[in-house]
Amino acid sequence: MTVRVGVIGAGMIGQDHIRRLTEVVTGASVTAVTDIDTARAAEAAARVGATALPTGADLIASPDVDAVLVTSWGPTHAEHVLGAIAAGKPAFCEKPLATTAEDCLRIVEAERAHGRRLVQVGFMRRFDAGYRQMKEVLSTGSLGAPLIVHCAHRNPTVPESYHSAMAAQDTAVHEIDVLRWLLDDEIVSAQVVTPRATSKRFAHLKDPQIMIFETSGGVRIDLEVFVNCQYGYDIQCEVVGEDGLVRLPDPAAVGIRTAARHGTGVLQDWKDRFAEAFDTEFREWVAGVAAGAEPTGPSSWDGYAATVITDAAVRSLETGGERVTVDMKPRPAFYGGTA
């Protein structure tokens, strides 16, 4: 079966996924595209032989669309995901699932009412080879109980439109999701403190930020978010257990010896760092849709959890570094919980 995918949102990430679905992933075709910019939608559709449609609702209703990919502006995500659930069509939604916890819960309740999982959220790190190796090690129990996690998320620069809350909402959200998955534990509190600010930032931005999370099992997580580090795109993660530690490997790179120095290059872009993770994510999603299986990647509940945790981090930032309890509903049994 070839899965016919309709894409809502033809911006940078939407067009990159269109390329991925048509040039990298087997078993999929892009049959419809829509975007608020109709000319951009028409251009993206023409490149892959798809149909440009006026609205997301038109695309979801199309008989030529088996599954929906949502890559539009964040505040529109809930509308499109709810539409896909109502139509009984699988939906892949780039993060955020929705921009408010209330809209995330609407999606959770709609999916539960439907009776089976249809939604996957685009947290690609769960599909990265290094994180998957870390998960395997932690799952064996050979390191004992996890005690501490040290993380860093560094970008060379960010545009002037990037504001302080985005450090949690757009940047740290990836660590928040992948650490919940790695530890199989829930984050229950968040605290954000701000050290001396870099002079390389725009004046309105608090950068770097140090985020401190605690899980229900008592694990302490410290995360450095530094989005104007200048030198490159650098993702670090280390889990310290009772009997040892496991560290995320850096991307493979050749060693260069020249001019009395020995070094390796540093990636400059998230698309390069996680290109293979994106490819794996979509290969597995398409294979699941083709088989009629429920998605195994991040769920609507994971999207909701990420939103309420980042909300807590933003509140801590706004209150000058107070510890904020995460206001999360009990996880329903539908998503593997006990409620």
Side-chain angles (χ1 to χ4, degrees), residues 45 60 169:
I60 292 166
Q169 295 166 338

Side-chain angles (χ1 to χ4, degrees), residues 179-229:
L179 290 175
R180 292 177 59 249
W181 172 72
L182 274 179
L183 299 173
D184 194 22
D185 201 355
E186 196 54 83
I187 292 172
V188 297
S189 72
Q191 183 180 11
V192 180
V193 295
T194 52
R196 176 179 178 176
T198 174
S199 63
K200 307 294 185 180
R201 79 200 193 286
F202 289 103
H204 67 272
L205 179 61
K206 294 180 179 179
D207 184 47
Q209 297 180 26
I210 298 173
M211 302 183 184
I212 303 165
F213 302 102
E214 183 178 4
T215 74
S216 61
V219 178
R220 290 284 187 167
I221 299 164
D222 59 81
L223 166 60
E224 170 203 325
V225 176
F226 187 10
V227 294
N228 288 282
C229 78

Side-chain angles (χ1 to χ4, degrees), residues 38-237:
T38 55
R40 184 166 60 189
E43 181 182 351
R47 284 201 300 270
V48 295
T51 302
L53 294 173
T55 69
D58 293 322
L59 182 144
I60 292 166
S62 171
D64 296 324
V65 169
D66 302 314
V68 179
L69 170 59
V70 179
T71 54
S72 53
W73 186 45
T76 69
H77 286 189
E79 170 194 351
H80 300 314
V81 173
L82 287 166
I85 294 171
K89 294 185 178 182
F92 184 107
C93 181
E94 273 300 345
K95 62 90 178 169
L97 175 64
T99 52
T100 68
E102 292 76 17
D103 276 347
C104 288
L105 286 175
R106 289 174 61 209
I107 292 169
V108 164
E109 291 307 317
E111 194 173 37
R112 291 176 69 190
H114 178 75
R116 69 188 301 268
R117 278 192 57 192
L118 289 173
V119 180
Q120 180 166 320
V121 183
F123 290 119
M124 96 298 285
R125 291 202 189 175
R126 298 191 190 196
F127 301 88
D128 175 74
Y131 279 111
R132 285 187 161 185
Q133 290 168 7
M134 291 182 73
K135 178 73 168 175
E136 289 176 9
V137 170
L138 292 169
S139 296
T140 68
S142 61
L143 303 183
L147 307 174
I148 307 166
V149 183
H150 305 293
C151 297
H153 188 143
R154 304 184 184 113
N155 291 59
T157 59
V158 289
E160 191 169 4
S161 58
Y162 189 101
H163 54 78
S164 296
M166 292 172 70
Q169 295 166 338
D170 280 23
T171 302
V173 67
H174 287 289
E175 274 78 16
I176 287 167
D177 177 74
V178 83
L179 290 175
R180 292 177 59 249
W181 172 72
L182 274 179
L183 299 173
D184 194 22
D185 201 355
E186 196 54 83
I187 292 172
V188 297
S189 72
Q191 183 180 11
V192 180
V193 295
T194 52
R196 176 179 178 176
T198 174
S199 63
K200 307 294 185 180
R201 79 200 193 286
F202 289 103
H204 67 272
L205 179 61
K206 294 180 179 179
D207 184 47
Q209 297 180 26
I210 298 173
M211 302 183 184
I212 303 165
F213 302 102
E214 183 178 4
T215 74
S216 61
V219 178
R220 290 284 187 167
I221 299 164
D222 59 81
L223 166 60
E224 170 203 325
V225 176
F226 187 10
V227 294
N228 288 282
C229 78
Q230 306 300 304
Y231 71 85
Y233 183 76
D234 189 10
I235 303 299
Q236 300 294 324
C237 181

